[in-house]
Amino acid sequence: MSAITETTSVLQTALNRVIESAECRFVIDEIKRGARVISISGLVAAPARALVLAALQRETKKQFAIVVPAQRDLESWERDISFWYCALRRVSECAETIAVLPSSESDPYAGGSPHPETLERRALALWRLARHQPDFVLLTSRAMARRTIPPAEILKAGAIPRRDEDHSPEQLTGNLIACGYVREDPVGAVGEFSIRGGILDVWPPGHRAPA
């Protein structure tokens, strides 16, 4: 326990030094002042860039969008931002505060379908963006340039069933099919659902098991 406490203390000391540095305070003041363009140089290592951005977000309370060159860069950025975001706030979980929007990687006019995992991550990110404003949005330049449906349409297509609430099975299954879900029995993967009498099994994006 003492080793963990000591490690946490050392980490917090290092984080405070970054936030209290003259360079970081200058950038924070510029963001709060509403500057349109702020150039930052000298941060070579990717974890260092993630640390500074997480610190800037905590201090300014603004929503940050990080645009990366390629799809392969999203995983490392998500890992680094998540680590420093949690470390700065001394929490163990922060998945809901970071949305990752990958590009579909396919030509919409070529007739090919994107990878199912890509579709899952895009659906989850767009749903989170429509419902609330996560502190960080990670996306590729291609994803940023791609048109999507308005937030109101996303909210209208989704549903949040809760315990002790009544829902029409026909309406729920209609919404699921309209959103691209496939009816299977039993449910075996994300994007599938089954209904037997009054029992609905559905496997939504971002979950490790169906509900």
Side-chain angles (χ1 to χ4, degrees):
M1 181 65 70
S2 60
I4 296 175
T5 303
E6 184 178 349
T7 301
T8 303
S9 178
V10 171
L11 181 59
Q12 288 298 324
T13 300
L15 294 175
N16 289 334
R17 286 181 179 177
V18 172
I19 297 170
E20 294 169 2
S21 66
E23 295 83 359
C24 194
R25 296 312 311 179
F26 171 78
V27 176
I28 291 171
D29 292 340
E30 288 292 290
I31 293 175
K32 290 181 176 180
R33 188 175 59 83
R36 301 290 295 175
V37 178
I38 304 171
S39 297
I40 303 175
S41 61
L43 296 172
V44 179
R49 295 196 293 266
L51 166 58
V52 170
L53 288 171
L56 290 175
Q57 194 285 323
R58 191 188 74 166
E59 295 298 307
T60 61
K61 304 295 189 295
K62 291 184 178 293
Q63 186 181 35
F64 278 57
I66 302 176
V67 183
V68 301
Q71 197 96 314
R72 62 178 179 272
D73 301 316
L74 287 173
E75 184 177 352
S76 59
W77 269 103
E78 182 182 14
R79 181 184 63 246
D80 292 339
I81 286 290
S82 297
F83 175 83
W84 290 119
Y85 186 100
C86 291
L88 284 166
R89 290 160 177 78
R90 300 186 181 185
V91 297
S92 59
E93 183 61 43
C94 51
E96 291 296 322
T97 61
I98 301 172
V100 182
L101 183 64
S103 59
S104 59
E105 295 184 314
S106 61
D107 187 344
Y109 304 104
S113 178
H115 192 278
E117 184 178 347
T118 300
L119 292 175
E120 176 190 356
R121 300 201 76 185
R122 283 183 59 84
L124 185 60
L126 292 172
W127 175 251
R128 286 177 177 172
L129 286 169
R131 291 189 62 217
H132 67 281
Q133 291 190 337
D135 292 334
F136 278 99
V137 181
L138 309 180
L139 70 164
T140 64
S141 54
R142 186 170 182 174
M144 184 173 64
R146 184 74 173 268
R147 294 186 63 184
T148 185
I149 60 177
E153 293 295 321
I154 296 174
L155 292 174
K156 188 167 63 175
I160 308 177
R162 293 184 175 89
R163 183 176 177 176
D164 298 327
E165 289 185 354
D166 292 330
H167 294 273
S168 165
E170 292 78 11
Q171 183 178 359
L172 282 176
T173 55
N175 285 345
L176 289 169
I177 293 173
C179 291
Y181 278 78
V182 178
R183 187 167 183 169
E184 295 286 351
D185 192 10
V187 170
V190 170
E192 295 179 356
F193 78 96
S194 69
I195 185 166
R196 300 178 306 281
I199 300 175
L200 172 69
D201 296 333
V202 61
W203 198 328
H207 291 259
R208 296 181 179 179

